[in-house]
Amino acid sequence: MTSNSERSGAQIAASAARAGKALVNIVKGASAGGLAGAATAAAREFAPELIKVLLCITITLLIIPMLLIAAIPNMFFGYDSISSPSMAEFNSRAKEIGSLYYTLSSSDKTDTDAIVTQIANAYEENGDEVKRIVVKNEPEGDDLLWFIAIYSVANEQDLRRMDSEEARKMYADRLMYSES
C-alpha cells in the first residue's frame, strides 16, 4: 500500500511528464510554424484546462446570477411598480379580495355566535328557557379553499364583480345548523 506522500510524488512526476510533453509539442509547433505554430500547439495542449477555467467563469458570472434572479418570487418586486392604471387597479383589487379570504376564517366565530344568539332569542321570545347551547363547528382545512373556488366561479373569476360584503354573506350562509 502506498502512502499519501508517495502518491503525491507519483502525481507530481506524472504532472511534470505531461508538462514536459506539452513543452516538447509547443517547441515542435514553434519550429514548424513560428509564433503562430507555438500558440496553436499551446492551445491544443492546454485546451482541457482552459475549457474548465472558462466554464467555471461562465457559470460564476452568468448562470448563477440568472438562477438567483429567476428564483426570486415576483412578490419581492412589488405590485406598485406597474405603470398601467388598469393593471394597478386590478392588482389592488386582487390584494383586497386575497386578504378578504383570510379574514373570513376569523369571522367564522363571529358568524357562529350571531346564529346562536338569533336561535336563543327566538326560543326566549316563545317563552322557552334555553339551558344549554352546544355548537359543533369543526371546519376542515380545505373549507376556505373550497369557498375561494366556489366564490370565484360564482363571479366568473372577474375581480371587478367580487364584493367583500357579498363574499362575507356567502361565507356566513354556508354555515349549517340545526336546532334541537
Side-chain angles (χ1 to χ4, degrees), residues 28-41:
K28 284 180 183 176
S31 66
L35 188 57
T40 303

Side-chain angles (χ1 to χ4, degrees), residues 3-178:
S3 68
N4 284 339
S5 63
E6 290 175 14
R7 203 170 341 158
S8 294
Q11 288 174 345
I12 290 171
S15 294
R18 276 192 298 264
K21 180 183 174 214
L23 185 61
V24 168
N25 288 337
I26 292 171
V27 170
K28 284 180 183 176
S31 66
L35 188 57
T40 303
R44 281 189 191 139
E45 291 298 325
F46 296 109
E49 288 80 13
L50 289 174
I51 290 172
K52 289 177 191 173
V53 169
L54 290 175
L55 186 63
C56 288
I57 290 172
T58 302
I59 288 173
T60 303
L61 294 178
L62 294 176
I63 296 175
I64 291 176
M66 285 174 37
L67 287 175
L68 290 175
I69 290 171
I72 296 174
N74 188 26
M75 66 184 207
F76 288 146
F77 293 116
Y79 295 108
D80 300 327
S81 64
I82 296 172
S83 59
S84 167
S86 63
M87 286 304 293
E89 186 226 340
F90 184 80
N91 283 335
S92 171
R93 189 81 177 128
K95 280 183 184 179
E96 178 186 332
I97 296 297
S99 64
L100 165 73
Y101 289 143
Y102 292 102
T103 60
L104 287 177
S105 58
S106 64
S107 70
D108 197 15
K109 183 175 178 357
T110 307
D111 295 335
T112 304
D113 290 343
I115 292 171
V116 167
T117 303
Q118 178 185 2
I119 293 171
N121 288 341
Y123 275 100
E124 289 174 354
E125 286 175 5
N126 290 335
D128 296 329
E129 182 181 346
V130 178
K131 294 182 181 178
R132 184 174 88 137
I133 298 176
V134 177
V135 176
K136 288 186 179 181
N137 186 12
E138 301 169 7
E140 296 179 18
D142 292 337
D143 280 353
L144 182 61
L145 298 176
W146 274 107
F147 175 75
I148 291 171
I150 290 169
Y151 186 67
S152 295
V153 169
N155 287 290
E156 297 175 358
Q157 298 182 357
D158 184 2
L159 281 174
R160 286 178 233 102
R161 288 180 53 188
M162 295 180 185
D163 179 48
S164 299
E165 290 306 314
E166 179 189 340
R168 287 183 202 286
K169 183 181 179 318
M170 186 175 178
Y171 193 75
D173 289 346
R174 71 135 188 53
L175 293 173
M176 291 187 233
Y177 61 91
S178 62

